[in-house]
Amino acid sequence: MPQVPQTFFDALAVRTWCGLALRALGRAREEIDAINVYPVADGDTGTNLYLTMESAVTAVEAVFAGHGTLTEQKPPLADAVRAMAHGALIGARGNSGTILAQLMRGMSQVLAADSETAHTDGEGLRLALRHAADSARQAVAHPVEGTVLTVASAAADAAGDTEGDCGTVARAAYDGACAALAATPGQLAVLERAGVVDAGGRGLVAVLAALVETFTREAPVYGGHARVTVEVVHARVEAVSASGTVDVTLCEDDPSAPQEGGPAYEVIYLLEADDSAVTRLRDRLDALGDSLVVVGGDGLWNVHVHVDDAGAAVEAGVEAGRPYRIRITHFGLGDVHTTGAERPPRERAQRAVVAVVPGEGLAGLYGEAGATTVLARPGEPPASGELVAAVRRAHAREVVLLPNDADLRHTAAAAAEQARAEGIRVALIPTRSAVQGIAALAVHEPERRFDEDVVSMTSAAGATRYAEVAVAERQSWTMAGICQAGDVLGLVDGDVAVIGADVMATALAVLDRMLAAGGELVTLVLGDDAPESVADILEAHVRETYLAVDTVVYRGGRQGALLLIGVE
C-alpha cells in the first residue's frame, strides 16, 4: 500500500488510510483484545475492529479496480468514501466494529456531499470528524462516557480547534484522542481497577494514527496505558476478576449503561428497511434488551443488541424489513452476562458449539440452544475466516464445529486448524445438513468430557438421514433423470431422488422414501417460500401412516430450500 504525503484528502488518501489502518489494527489486535475488560473481558474488540476494517479495505479496493490503476483514472473522493463506509457497514463485528462503521459513515456523509469534488482540505476533514463523532453517539441507545464514543468526540473537538492542512488536522485529532483515551480509566472504575484504557478507544487511536501517517509519512507511536504486554493485562484481569470487584454485565467495549446481570445473547444482523421501520425497530429492541446500536441508512442498516430472547430480536428485524447475515452468540453459563450476584470466572467458557445455518429462523433456533451461529445465505457460503471469527466469538476453550453442509467440509477443516493453532481445542463434526446439526445439538451436554460429548453428537448426527425439497434453477442431469428449470426436486442424503411438478407430492414421496427404512422422529424445517399447508399435511401423513413416529416443525426463514427433512 503506497504512502502518499499530501495536504488534501482524495480517493487515493482514503485508500492509503484504510490500508494503513488495517495494518495498524492487525499489529495491535492482540493488545486490544487483551485490554478488553469493560464490561467483561471478552477479548474480541481488536479482532472485531480488524474484521470491520478489512471489509472496508476490500470495498475500497474494488472501487479502484473498477476505475483502473493509473493515477488519472482514480475514482472520485465520493465513490471512495462511500465504498469505505459501505464495506465497514456490511462487515461490522461487535459493538466496536459497529461504532467504527458509523464513524466512517458519518465521515462519508460530509466528504461525499459533493459527488464531483476530487478532494477536500483541512476544513473538510474537520467537519467530517465532527459529524462522524456526533452520528456515532446518536447511533447508540444509551451512551456512556469513558468509551470509544468519548475518544471520538475528543478527537473531533481537538480537530475543530485546529487550523491547517489535513496532516495538521489529523495530528490534532490523534493527540486529542490519545488524551481522552488516557483519561478513560478515570471515567470507568472497571478500567481503573484493571489498569487499562478502553479497548474500543484504543482501536480508534490506532485508526487515527494511520490517518496521520497517510498525510505525513510518519506513524505516531502510541505511548499510553495500553502499551503493556498481553500477559501482564491478562494477569491484571484475572486478579480483578478473582477479587469479585468488577461490576460488569455487557459485551466488549459497550457504550451502554451497565445493569445488574445481563442478557444471554448477542444478536447482530444486516437489515434492509426504510427509516420509519428502523425507528420502530429501535424502540422494540431497546425494550427487549440492551447494548443497542443501530447504524447505517439509505435502506441498509447494521443492528447490534444483547437480549435474552434471540428469536424475538430476529423476528423484530423480519417485521421491520429483510434481515440477513444474522450472527447470534450465546454468552454461556460461564459468562457474567448471564449472572447477577454470583460471578463465575472471567476466563473462557469451557465448551461452546459453533454452527453454520442456512436461514434466519434456524439461526434463532440454534442460538436459543446455546450455539454461536454463522448464517450461510444461498450462494454466499461463509469463508474459513468467518468461521474462525465465530469460534473466537464463542470464547471457549473447547469448540464443537457443525458445518451443516457437505460443501463446507474443507472450509470448516481449515477454520478448525487455524483455531487449534490459536490454542482452542476444536472438534469438527461433519454434519451435512442443518437437521443433522439439530440432532447433534439436542444431545450436547457441556458437562460431559469433551471426547464423550463429541462422540455422542457425532452419533446423533450420523443416525439422522437428511433430505430437502427445492426448485431446480436450470436443466440438469441428476440421479433421477433430467430435470428442467422450475421442476421440484427431492434430494435424499444429497442426491436427487424425486423429480416432480408439485411441492406437496414431491415432499410426500421423499418422506415415504426416508421412513421406509424406519425412524422415530421426523424434523421439518420450512422455508419462507414453502406452501403454508405443507407442514400440516406432512404431519398428518406421518401420524396416520407410521406408528410411534413423532414430528417436530421449525421455521427456517430464507434458507434456500423450500423444505428440510430429517429422520432419526
Side-chain angles (χ1 to χ4, degrees):
M1 181 66 63
Q3 298 182 35
V4 182
Q6 56 191 55
T7 59
F8 53 84
F9 201 16
D10 63 358
L12 189 58
V14 173
R15 184 190 199 190
T16 302
W17 177 35
C18 288
L20 292 174
L22 182 64
R23 186 179 70 179
L25 289 171
R27 290 174 174 172
R29 181 182 66 79
E30 289 188 2
E31 173 193 330
I32 297 171
D33 282 346
I35 66 171
N36 176 198
V37 299
Y38 173 73
V40 292
D42 284 359
D44 60 0
T45 293
T47 299
N48 286 337
L49 288 168
Y50 180 86
L51 292 172
T52 302
M53 182 57 70
E54 185 178 46
S55 183
V57 168
T58 300
V60 172
E61 289 299 324
V63 168
F64 269 82
H67 282 77
T69 58
L70 298 178
T71 302
E72 58 266 28
Q73 293 178 308
K74 67 184 179 183
L77 172 62
D79 288 359
V81 294
R82 284 173 183 149
M84 173 187 73
H86 181 75
L89 178 68
I90 64 174
R93 304 298 181 92
N95 266 348
S96 54
T98 305
I99 292 172
L100 177 61
Q102 186 64 9
L103 288 168
M104 291 185 164
R105 176 176 171 79
M107 290 188 70
S108 73
Q109 288 174 323
V110 173
L111 298 175
D114 185 349
S115 59
E116 301 301 321
T117 299
H119 59 80
T120 192
D121 55 11
E123 174 64 18
L125 181 56
R126 283 196 297 272
L127 294 173
L129 290 169
R130 177 77 271 160
H131 186 64
D134 293 344
S135 61
R137 187 172 289 271
Q138 292 167 5
V140 177
H142 304 288
V144 163
E145 297 307 324
T147 65
V148 61
L149 298 179
T150 303
V151 176
S153 295
D157 291 343
D161 293 336
T162 302
E163 298 291 336
D165 60 21
C166 286
T168 303
V169 171
R171 183 72 207 206
Y174 171 79
D175 290 341
C178 287
L181 180 63
T184 56
Q187 295 171 295
L188 286 174
V190 61
L191 301 178
E192 185 174 17
R193 286 192 290 265
V196 297
V197 295
D198 178 69
R202 173 65 183 96
L204 181 57
V205 163
V207 172
L208 291 174
L211 186 62
V212 174
E213 186 178 2
T214 298
F215 297 112
T216 67
R217 284 198 181 191
E218 297 179 357
V221 178
Y222 175 71
H225 292 70
R227 292 188 63 79
V228 294
T229 66
V230 172
E231 291 78 9
V232 169
V233 172
H234 280 311
R236 288 176 177 176
V237 172
E238 290 305 317
V240 174
S241 176
S243 71
T245 59
V246 182
D247 184 15
V248 291
T249 57
L250 308 179
C251 183
E252 50 163 77
D253 56 310
D254 186 356
S256 297
Q259 303 172 3
E260 185 66 23
Y265 303 98
E266 178 186 55
V267 179
I268 306 172
Y269 50 80
L270 291 178
L271 177 70
E272 293 178 356
D274 58 36
D275 291 0
S276 60
V278 170
T279 299
R280 295 190 297 272
L281 175 66
R282 288 179 192 269
D283 293 339
R284 180 169 178 187
L285 292 180
D286 197 24
L288 283 175
D290 55 34
S291 303
L292 175 61
V293 185
V294 181
V295 303
D298 301 322
L300 181 62
W301 308 82
N302 191 304
V303 179
H304 172 283
V305 68
H306 294 172
V307 293
D308 281 320
D309 189 343
V314 174
E315 288 173 4
V318 172
E319 291 179 6
R322 187 176 77 90
Y324 60 103
R325 292 194 184 180
I326 298 171
R327 296 189 294 275
I328 298 175
T329 302
H330 184 262
F331 291 130
L333 294 177
D335 197 302
V336 293
H337 295 263
T338 59
T339 67
E342 296 183 3
R343 301 195 182 277
R346 279 169 186 77
E347 297 186 8
R348 292 178 179 272
Q350 182 60 34
R351 189 172 310 157
V353 176
V354 173
V356 180
V357 292
E360 296 90 344
L362 284 179
L365 174 67
Y366 272 74
E368 290 175 1
T372 296
T373 61
V374 178
L375 186 64
R377 293 184 57 76
E380 298 180 18
S384 61
E386 191 169 358
L387 297 185
V388 173
V391 171
R392 291 172 183 150
R393 286 203 320 275
H395 202 59
R397 297 185 183 90
E398 302 167 341
V399 172
V400 180
L401 182 57
L402 306 175
N404 291 340
D405 187 335
D407 293 336
L408 287 177
R409 181 183 59 182
H410 297 300
T411 300
E417 282 302 314
Q418 184 174 341
R420 291 182 189 118
E422 297 178 8
I424 304 171
R425 189 180 185 188
V426 180
L428 172 61
I429 298 179
T431 49
R432 294 170 289 175
S433 170
V435 292
Q436 288 188 322
I438 291 173
L441 200 55
V443 300
H444 169 53
E445 292 185 14
E447 295 79 14
R448 278 191 300 214
R449 291 179 55 243
F450 185 62
D451 292 341
E452 293 177 354
D453 197 29
V454 170
V455 168
S456 178
M457 295 175 72
T458 302
S459 177
T464 303
R465 300 188 68 198
Y466 66 97
E468 68 177 73
V469 177
V471 177
E473 296 181 355
R474 56 186 176 275
Q475 185 186 61
S476 180
W477 290 87
T478 75
M479 296 287 290
I482 301 176
C483 70
Q484 305 295 327
D487 283 348
V488 180
L489 306 180
L491 293 86
V492 177
D493 293 337
D495 294 322
V496 176
V498 179
I499 300 175
D502 178 74
V503 172
M504 194 65 65
T506 303
L508 287 168
V510 168
L511 189 56
D512 284 337
R513 279 176 177 257
M514 297 181 72
L515 286 172
E520 298 176 355
L521 176 66
V522 173
T523 300
L524 304 176
V525 182
L526 304 181
D528 279 351
D529 295 328
E532 285 295 325
S533 59
V534 66
D536 293 338
I537 293 176
L538 292 178
E539 279 190 281
H541 179 70
V542 171
R543 186 170 55 252
E544 294 167 3
T545 310
Y546 302 95
L547 297 178
V549 177
D550 294 324
T551 304
V552 293
V553 180
Y554 302 110
R555 293 282 176 180
R558 300 172 180 85
Q559 62 184 19
L562 298 174
L563 176 67
L564 301 178
I565 304 174
V567 174
E568 53 184 298

